[in-house]
Amino acid sequence: MGIFRRNKRDDDRVEVDDAVESDETDTEVDDVDGAGSSDDTGTERAADPTDERAADGDAADAGEDDVRQRLPRPHDLDRSEGPFDRAEIDDLGERLDLGALVLSPFAGSELRLDVDEAGQTITGVTVVSGESAVQVQAFAAPKSSGVWDDIRDEIADNLIANGGTAEEKLGTLGIELHARMPARGNDGRTTYSPVRFVGVDGPRWFLRGVLSGRAAVEDSAAEPLMTFLRQAIVVRGSEARAPRELLELTIPQELLQQAEANAQPVDDKPGSVDDLKPFERGPEITEVR
């Protein structure tokens, strides 16, 4: 089970973080929060050379109807089978307690904790299974209403404005956003990565999952990761929080001890941590659930 993977921003990749981060103009600190940020997980696909519009990066100029589809809203999700609020679960059992998130890693999966560039804050959890991955984050949200509809629109607007595409589809956890995220390849050409955004509004919290790799385009590959999301437990806490504030994640002491025991010498050259890729093996704990 992997332990740390540092978030790395790529200036040439579309940033969807702004669509889900707290707005400085928000002054309410009652029960609001909930948004997220996504990092570069997912395999890149080169643009179809037969699609002149995609190759030129002009999808946004072709009209929104060509790159975006919306479903009717609101859509209420039955959470009787998860994701759960902590108050809905009597016994955590042998689940992995990470503070704001309590998770159930599954056989053959590798779990990594994403940390910010300063290495001080855990920004999310990424689970890798085969050629697929899902990043999970939890945020506070208003007591009166959910935030997923607004966040989904903001992410889609950002992607489309930068030449990507976004389409809403109804999945097992409600309305999802299936997108193609543009990025600039090493040769200067635009490439596209399939990404699948999943969001769940809970009682004063919002859970977001970002599926990448095969899971972004194949339901069979996504199934174990969606089950993993469904089994997640969110621990919101009673504190007043700013809009869309990331809920704090912590590392269990036993995992830290195991990571230190299994640590291998690491090259100290600059950028060696940032070079870790989502589908390459990184610093790990030997036990895989």
mmCIF file of all heavy atoms in Angstrom, residues 39-77:
data_model
loop_
_atom_site.group_PDB
_atom_site.id
_atom_site.type_symbol
_atom_site.label_atom_id
_atom_site.label_comp_id
_atom_site.label_asym_id
_atom_site.label_seq_id
_atom_site.Cartn_x
_atom_site.Cartn_y
_atom_site.Cartn_z
ATOM 1 N N ASP A 39 -5.543 16.042 -9.402
ATOM 2 C CA ASP A 39 -4.177 16.101 -9.854
ATOM 3 C C ASP A 39 -4.030 15.211 -11.066
ATOM 4 O O ASP A 39 -4.970 14.586 -11.522
ATOM 5 C CB ASP A 39 -3.196 15.757 -8.720
ATOM 6 C CG ASP A 39 -2.927 14.281 -8.630
ATOM 7 O OD1 ASP A 39 -3.803 13.522 -8.998
ATOM 8 O OD2 ASP A 39 -1.869 13.897 -8.182
ATOM 9 N N ASP A 40 -2.832 15.129 -11.633
ATOM 10 C CA ASP A 40 -2.641 14.491 -12.915
ATOM 11 C C ASP A 40 -2.638 12.990 -12.768
ATOM 12 O O ASP A 40 -1.595 12.365 -12.760
ATOM 13 C CB ASP A 40 -1.334 14.955 -13.545
ATOM 14 C CG ASP A 40 -1.356 16.447 -13.771
ATOM 15 O OD1 ASP A 40 -2.443 17.015 -13.820
ATOM 16 O OD2 ASP A 40 -0.276 17.015 -13.898
ATOM 17 N N THR A 41 -3.802 12.379 -12.596
ATOM 18 C CA THR A 41 -3.889 10.927 -12.649
ATOM 19 C C THR A 41 -4.607 10.577 -13.924
ATOM 20 O O THR A 41 -5.617 11.136 -14.245
ATOM 21 C CB THR A 41 -4.672 10.377 -11.461
ATOM 22 O OG1 THR A 41 -5.998 10.876 -11.527
ATOM 23 C CG2 THR A 41 -4.033 10.781 -10.150
ATOM 24 N N GLY A 42 -4.137 9.622 -14.664
ATOM 25 C CA GLY A 42 -4.830 9.274 -15.889
ATOM 26 C C GLY A 42 -3.832 9.142 -17.013
ATOM 27 O O GLY A 42 -2.834 9.844 -17.079
ATOM 28 N N THR A 43 -4.137 8.267 -17.939
ATOM 29 C CA THR A 43 -3.249 8.063 -19.060
ATOM 30 C C THR A 43 -3.634 9.019 -20.165
ATOM 31 O O THR A 43 -4.809 9.228 -20.448
ATOM 32 C CB THR A 43 -3.383 6.616 -19.555
ATOM 33 O OG1 THR A 43 -4.760 6.353 -19.818
ATOM 34 C CG2 THR A 43 -2.878 5.655 -18.503
ATOM 35 N N GLU A 44 -2.635 9.606 -20.800
ATOM 36 C CA GLU A 44 -2.907 10.600 -21.826
ATOM 37 C C GLU A 44 -3.131 9.916 -23.164
ATOM 38 O O GLU A 44 -2.497 8.924 -23.501
ATOM 39 C CB GLU A 44 -1.736 11.579 -21.935
ATOM 40 C CG GLU A 44 -1.594 12.459 -20.716
ATOM 41 C CD GLU A 44 -0.562 13.543 -20.929
ATOM 42 O OE1 GLU A 44 0.182 13.435 -21.925
ATOM 43 O OE2 GLU A 44 -0.505 14.462 -20.130
ATOM 44 N N ARG A 45 -4.036 10.504 -23.916
ATOM 45 C CA ARG A 45 -4.291 10.021 -25.260
ATOM 46 C C ARG A 45 -3.977 11.129 -26.249
ATOM 47 O O ARG A 45 -4.360 12.274 -26.043
ATOM 48 C CB ARG A 45 -5.754 9.629 -25.438
ATOM 49 C CG ARG A 45 -6.146 8.339 -24.730
ATOM 50 C CD ARG A 45 -7.574 8.018 -25.061
ATOM 51 N NE ARG A 45 -7.975 6.748 -24.528
ATOM 52 C CZ ARG A 45 -9.194 6.235 -24.690
ATOM 53 N NH1 ARG A 45 -10.103 6.914 -25.336
ATOM 54 N NH2 ARG A 45 -9.495 5.063 -24.183
ATOM 55 N N ALA A 46 -3.333 10.775 -27.313
ATOM 56 C CA ALA A 46 -3.072 11.781 -28.333
ATOM 57 C C ALA A 46 -4.357 12.132 -29.034
ATOM 58 O O ALA A 46 -5.264 11.319 -29.175
ATOM 59 C CB ALA A 46 -2.058 11.242 -29.348
ATOM 60 N N ALA A 47 -4.445 13.381 -29.491
ATOM 61 C CA ALA A 47 -5.633 13.813 -30.218
ATOM 62 C C ALA A 47 -5.751 13.033 -31.514
ATOM 63 O O ALA A 47 -4.753 12.675 -32.142
ATOM 64 C CB ALA A 47 -5.544 15.311 -30.517
ATOM 65 N N ASP A 48 -6.960 12.746 -31.901
ATOM 66 C CA ASP A 48 -7.223 12.037 -33.149
ATOM 67 C C ASP A 48 -6.777 12.911 -34.312
ATOM 68 O O ASP A 48 -7.286 14.007 -34.507
ATOM 69 C CB ASP A 48 -8.725 11.744 -33.243
ATOM 70 C CG ASP A 48 -9.060 10.886 -34.441
ATOM 71 O OD1 ASP A 48 -8.181 10.722 -35.315
ATOM 72 O OD2 ASP A 48 -10.199 10.389 -34.512
ATOM 73 N N PRO A 49 -5.802 12.458 -35.108
ATOM 74 C CA PRO A 49 -5.309 13.293 -36.201
ATOM 75 C C PRO A 49 -6.365 13.580 -37.236
ATOM 76 O O PRO A 49 -6.228 14.511 -38.018
ATOM 77 C CB PRO A 49 -4.143 12.466 -36.785
ATOM 78 C CG PRO A 49 -4.420 11.065 -36.349
ATOM 79 C CD PRO A 49 -5.097 11.172 -35.035
ATOM 80 N N THR A 50 -7.448 12.784 -37.289
ATOM 81 C CA THR A 50 -8.519 13.037 -38.248
ATOM 82 C C THR A 50 -9.499 14.080 -37.757
ATOM 83 O O THR A 50 -10.340 14.535 -38.505
ATOM 84 C CB THR A 50 -9.291 11.733 -38.539
ATOM 85 O OG1 THR A 50 -9.940 11.304 -37.331
ATOM 86 C CG2 THR A 50 -8.358 10.651 -39.006
ATOM 87 N N ASP A 51 -9.397 14.456 -36.477
ATOM 88 C CA ASP A 51 -10.295 15.457 -35.898
ATOM 89 C C ASP A 51 -9.578 16.793 -35.896
ATOM 90 O O ASP A 51 -8.824 17.122 -35.004
ATOM 91 C CB ASP A 51 -10.688 15.057 -34.473
ATOM 92 C CG ASP A 51 -11.738 15.980 -33.891
ATOM 93 O OD1 ASP A 51 -12.006 17.047 -34.475
ATOM 94 O OD2 ASP A 51 -12.290 15.618 -32.834
ATOM 95 N N GLU A 52 -9.778 17.579 -36.925
ATOM 96 C CA GLU A 52 -9.058 18.832 -37.061
ATOM 97 C C GLU A 52 -9.385 19.780 -35.928
ATOM 98 O O GLU A 52 -8.541 20.539 -35.460
ATOM 99 C CB GLU A 52 -9.399 19.485 -38.401
ATOM 100 C CG GLU A 52 -8.920 18.676 -39.597
ATOM 101 C CD GLU A 52 -9.247 19.354 -40.902
ATOM 102 O OE1 GLU A 52 -9.854 20.445 -40.866
ATOM 103 O OE2 GLU A 52 -8.894 18.814 -41.947
ATOM 104 N N ARG A 53 -10.622 19.767 -35.477
ATOM 105 C CA ARG A 53 -11.012 20.677 -34.412
ATOM 106 C C ARG A 53 -10.266 20.344 -33.133
ATOM 107 O O ARG A 53 -9.753 21.210 -32.440
ATOM 108 C CB ARG A 53 -12.517 20.606 -34.142
ATOM 109 C CG ARG A 53 -12.998 21.646 -33.145
ATOM 110 C CD ARG A 53 -14.466 21.463 -32.857
ATOM 111 N NE ARG A 53 -14.666 20.178 -32.179
ATOM 112 C CZ ARG A 53 -15.849 19.596 -32.060
ATOM 113 N NH1 ARG A 53 -16.912 20.141 -32.573
ATOM 114 N NH2 ARG A 53 -15.958 18.448 -31.416
ATOM 115 N N ALA A 54 -10.147 19.031 -32.816
ATOM 116 C CA ALA A 54 -9.433 18.643 -31.607
ATOM 117 C C ALA A 54 -7.951 18.947 -31.732
ATOM 118 O O ALA A 54 -7.316 19.418 -30.794
ATOM 119 C CB ALA A 54 -9.647 17.150 -31.329
ATOM 120 N N ALA A 55 -7.380 18.672 -32.917
ATOM 121 C CA ALA A 55 -5.958 18.908 -33.095
ATOM 122 C C ALA A 55 -5.627 20.377 -32.934
ATOM 123 O O ALA A 55 -4.555 20.746 -32.463
ATOM 124 C CB ALA A 55 -5.525 18.406 -34.475
ATOM 125 N N ASP A 56 -6.516 21.246 -33.349
ATOM 126 C CA ASP A 56 -6.265 22.686 -33.263
ATOM 127 C C ASP A 56 -6.646 23.251 -31.919
ATOM 128 O O ASP A 56 -6.446 24.443 -31.665
ATOM 129 C CB ASP A 56 -7.038 23.421 -34.358
ATOM 130 C CG ASP A 56 -6.516 23.060 -35.745
ATOM 131 O OD1 ASP A 56 -5.354 22.627 -35.843
ATOM 132 O OD2 ASP A 56 -7.291 23.212 -36.704
ATOM 133 N N GLY A 57 -7.250 22.421 -31.045
ATOM 134 C CA GLY A 57 -7.659 22.900 -29.734
ATOM 135 C C GLY A 57 -8.799 23.883 -29.794
ATOM 136 O O GLY A 57 -8.916 24.769 -28.940
ATOM 137 N N ASP A 58 -9.677 23.778 -30.821
ATOM 138 C CA ASP A 58 -10.741 24.756 -31.016
ATOM 139 C C ASP A 58 -12.094 24.226 -30.621
ATOM 140 O O ASP A 58 -13.125 24.743 -31.065
ATOM 141 C CB ASP A 58 -10.802 25.183 -32.493
ATOM 142 C CG ASP A 58 -9.554 25.961 -32.890
ATOM 143 O OD1 ASP A 58 -8.960 26.579 -31.984
ATOM 144 O OD2 ASP A 58 -9.194 25.947 -34.067
ATOM 145 N N ALA A 59 -12.148 23.196 -29.740
ATOM 146 C CA ALA A 59 -13.434 22.617 -29.372
ATOM 147 C C ALA A 59 -14.331 23.648 -28.732
ATOM 148 O O ALA A 59 -15.547 23.652 -28.933
ATOM 149 C CB ALA A 59 -13.221 21.432 -28.429
ATOM 150 N N ALA A 60 -13.745 24.556 -27.938
ATOM 151 C CA ALA A 60 -14.559 25.540 -27.241
ATOM 152 C C ALA A 60 -15.211 26.508 -28.203
ATOM 153 O O ALA A 60 -16.238 27.121 -27.893
ATOM 154 C CB ALA A 60 -13.695 26.307 -26.233
ATOM 155 N N ASP A 61 -14.593 26.693 -29.402
ATOM 156 C CA ASP A 61 -15.138 27.641 -30.370
ATOM 157 C C ASP A 61 -16.209 27.014 -31.243
ATOM 158 O O ASP A 61 -16.839 27.702 -32.048
ATOM 159 C CB ASP A 61 -14.010 28.165 -31.265
ATOM 160 C CG ASP A 61 -12.974 28.917 -30.455
ATOM 161 O OD1 ASP A 61 -13.342 29.505 -29.420
ATOM 162 O OD2 ASP A 61 -11.797 28.900 -30.868
ATOM 163 N N ALA A 62 -16.399 25.708 -31.135
ATOM 164 C CA ALA A 62 -17.324 25.022 -32.025
ATOM 165 C C ALA A 62 -18.740 25.038 -31.503
ATOM 166 O O ALA A 62 -19.644 24.503 -32.128
ATOM 167 C CB ALA A 62 -16.870 23.576 -32.223
ATOM 168 N N GLY A 63 -18.958 25.639 -30.356
ATOM 169 C CA GLY A 63 -20.297 25.661 -29.788
ATOM 170 C C GLY A 63 -20.409 24.689 -28.647
ATOM 171 O O GLY A 63 -19.928 23.563 -28.721
ATOM 172 N N GLU A 64 -21.039 25.128 -27.551
ATOM 173 C CA GLU A 64 -21.094 24.310 -26.350
ATOM 174 C C GLU A 64 -21.824 23.005 -26.577
ATOM 175 O O GLU A 64 -21.499 21.989 -25.974
ATOM 176 C CB GLU A 64 -21.767 25.106 -25.228
ATOM 177 C CG GLU A 64 -21.753 24.397 -23.904
ATOM 178 C CD GLU A 64 -22.258 25.278 -22.787
ATOM 179 O OE1 GLU A 64 -21.619 26.288 -22.494
ATOM 180 O OE2 GLU A 64 -23.308 24.926 -22.216
ATOM 181 N N ASP A 65 -22.816 22.968 -27.466
ATOM 182 C CA ASP A 65 -23.585 21.750 -27.681
ATOM 183 C C ASP A 65 -22.712 20.606 -28.174
ATOM 184 O O ASP A 65 -23.036 19.441 -27.968
ATOM 185 C CB ASP A 65 -24.713 22.001 -28.687
ATOM 186 C CG ASP A 65 -25.799 22.902 -28.113
ATOM 187 O OD1 ASP A 65 -25.832 23.047 -26.873
ATOM 188 O OD2 ASP A 65 -26.576 23.465 -28.895
ATOM 189 N N ASP A 66 -21.597 20.926 -28.833
ATOM 190 C CA ASP A 66 -20.729 19.886 -29.372
ATOM 191 C C ASP A 66 -19.831 19.271 -28.311
ATOM 192 O O ASP A 66 -19.276 18.204 -28.504
ATOM 193 C CB ASP A 66 -19.846 20.461 -30.492
ATOM 194 C CG ASP A 66 -20.663 20.816 -31.719
ATOM 195 O OD1 ASP A 66 -21.764 20.259 -31.878
ATOM 196 O OD2 ASP A 66 -20.200 21.667 -32.505
ATOM 197 N N VAL A 67 -19.636 19.963 -27.188
ATOM 198 C CA VAL A 67 -18.656 19.501 -26.219
ATOM 199 C C VAL A 67 -19.240 19.280 -24.839
ATOM 200 O O VAL A 67 -18.532 18.861 -23.933
ATOM 201 C CB VAL A 67 -17.490 20.510 -26.122
ATOM 202 C CG1 VAL A 67 -16.665 20.486 -27.387
ATOM 203 C CG2 VAL A 67 -18.005 21.903 -25.841
ATOM 204 N N ARG A 68 -20.544 19.567 -24.678
ATOM 205 C CA ARG A 68 -21.114 19.442 -23.346
ATOM 206 C C ARG A 68 -22.561 18.991 -23.419
ATOM 207 O O ARG A 68 -23.320 19.472 -24.238
ATOM 208 C CB ARG A 68 -21.035 20.779 -22.623
ATOM 209 C CG ARG A 68 -21.607 20.725 -21.216
ATOM 210 C CD ARG A 68 -21.354 22.018 -20.527
ATOM 211 N NE ARG A 68 -21.768 21.971 -19.146
ATOM 212 C CZ ARG A 68 -21.571 22.958 -18.283
ATOM 213 N NH1 ARG A 68 -20.976 24.046 -18.679
ATOM 214 N NH2 ARG A 68 -21.965 22.842 -17.050
ATOM 215 N N GLN A 69 -22.922 18.061 -22.541
ATOM 216 C CA GLN A 69 -24.303 17.607 -22.432
ATOM 217 C C GLN A 69 -24.684 17.576 -20.960
ATOM 218 O O GLN A 69 -23.940 17.064 -20.132
ATOM 219 C CB GLN A 69 -24.461 16.214 -23.056
ATOM 220 C CG GLN A 69 -24.196 16.184 -24.555
ATOM 221 C CD GLN A 69 -24.431 14.804 -25.142
ATOM 222 O OE1 GLN A 69 -25.085 13.960 -24.539
ATOM 223 N NE2 GLN A 69 -23.885 14.564 -26.323
ATOM 224 N N ARG A 70 -25.879 18.131 -20.651
ATOM 225 C CA ARG A 70 -26.350 18.174 -19.267
ATOM 226 C C ARG A 70 -27.541 17.249 -19.083
ATOM 227 O O ARG A 70 -28.325 17.030 -19.997
ATOM 228 C CB ARG A 70 -26.784 19.591 -18.879
ATOM 229 C CG ARG A 70 -25.661 20.573 -18.629
ATOM 230 C CD ARG A 70 -26.239 21.847 -18.017
ATOM 231 N NE ARG A 70 -25.223 22.829 -17.679
ATOM 232 C CZ ARG A 70 -24.857 23.798 -18.474
ATOM 233 N NH1 ARG A 70 -25.404 23.928 -19.656
ATOM 234 N NH2 ARG A 70 -23.937 24.671 -18.080
ATOM 235 N N LEU A 71 -27.689 16.726 -17.865
ATOM 236 C CA LEU A 71 -28.857 15.935 -17.499
ATOM 237 C C LEU A 71 -29.777 16.792 -16.636
ATOM 238 O O LEU A 71 -29.342 17.759 -16.013
ATOM 239 C CB LEU A 71 -28.429 14.693 -16.709
ATOM 240 C CG LEU A 71 -27.618 13.643 -17.463
ATOM 241 C CD1 LEU A 71 -27.266 12.484 -16.530
ATOM 242 C CD2 LEU A 71 -28.382 13.124 -18.675
ATOM 243 N N PRO A 72 -31.064 16.430 -16.594
ATOM 244 C CA PRO A 72 -31.984 17.171 -15.720
ATOM 245 C C PRO A 72 -31.525 17.105 -14.277
ATOM 246 O O PRO A 72 -30.935 16.127 -13.838
ATOM 247 C CB PRO A 72 -33.321 16.431 -15.919
ATOM 248 C CG PRO A 72 -33.189 15.741 -17.225
ATOM 249 C CD PRO A 72 -31.743 15.372 -17.355
ATOM 250 N N ARG A 73 -31.787 18.151 -13.520
ATOM 251 C CA ARG A 73 -31.418 18.212 -12.106
ATOM 252 C C ARG A 73 -32.519 18.888 -11.333
ATOM 253 O O ARG A 73 -33.376 19.535 -11.922
ATOM 254 C CB ARG A 73 -30.090 18.957 -11.930
ATOM 255 C CG ARG A 73 -30.130 20.395 -12.417
ATOM 256 C CD ARG A 73 -28.763 20.938 -12.677
ATOM 257 N NE ARG A 73 -28.085 20.192 -13.736
ATOM 258 C CZ ARG A 73 -26.792 20.325 -14.021
ATOM 259 N NH1 ARG A 73 -26.055 21.144 -13.318
ATOM 260 N NH2 ARG A 73 -26.250 19.650 -14.985
ATOM 261 N N PRO A 74 -32.587 18.741 -10.030
ATOM 262 C CA PRO A 74 -31.644 17.980 -9.205
ATOM 263 C C PRO A 74 -31.877 16.479 -9.307
ATOM 264 O O PRO A 74 -32.941 16.039 -9.748
ATOM 265 C CB PRO A 74 -31.945 18.485 -7.794
ATOM 266 C CG PRO A 74 -33.399 18.812 -7.829
ATOM 267 C CD PRO A 74 -33.640 19.377 -9.211
ATOM 268 N N HIS A 75 -30.882 15.720 -8.898
ATOM 269 C CA HIS A 75 -30.986 14.259 -8.868
ATOM 270 C C HIS A 75 -30.632 13.789 -7.469
ATOM 271 O O HIS A 75 -29.503 13.972 -7.005
ATOM 272 C CB HIS A 75 -30.036 13.611 -9.885
ATOM 273 C CG HIS A 75 -30.046 12.120 -9.834
ATOM 274 N ND1 HIS A 75 -31.017 11.365 -10.452
ATOM 275 C CD2 HIS A 75 -29.225 11.238 -9.206
ATOM 276 C CE1 HIS A 75 -30.782 10.083 -10.215
ATOM 277 N NE2 HIS A 75 -29.697 9.982 -9.471
ATOM 278 N N ASP A 76 -31.589 13.239 -6.760
ATOM 279 C CA ASP A 76 -31.374 12.784 -5.392
ATOM 280 C C ASP A 76 -30.779 11.374 -5.395
ATOM 281 O O ASP A 76 -31.240 10.494 -6.117
ATOM 282 C CB ASP A 76 -32.683 12.785 -4.604
ATOM 283 C CG ASP A 76 -33.238 14.188 -4.410
ATOM 284 O OD1 ASP A 76 -32.417 15.125 -4.330
ATOM 285 O OD2 ASP A 76 -34.475 14.342 -4.360
ATOM 286 N N LEU A 77 -29.755 11.185 -4.579
ATOM 287 C CA LEU A 77 -29.076 9.891 -4.500
ATOM 288 C C LEU A 77 -29.477 9.166 -3.222
ATOM 289 O O LEU A 77 -29.491 9.750 -2.146
ATOM 290 C CB LEU A 77 -27.553 10.090 -4.513
ATOM 291 C CG LEU A 77 -26.713 8.830 -4.297
ATOM 292 C CD1 LEU A 77 -26.860 7.874 -5.474
ATOM 293 C CD2 LEU A 77 -25.249 9.193 -4.076
#
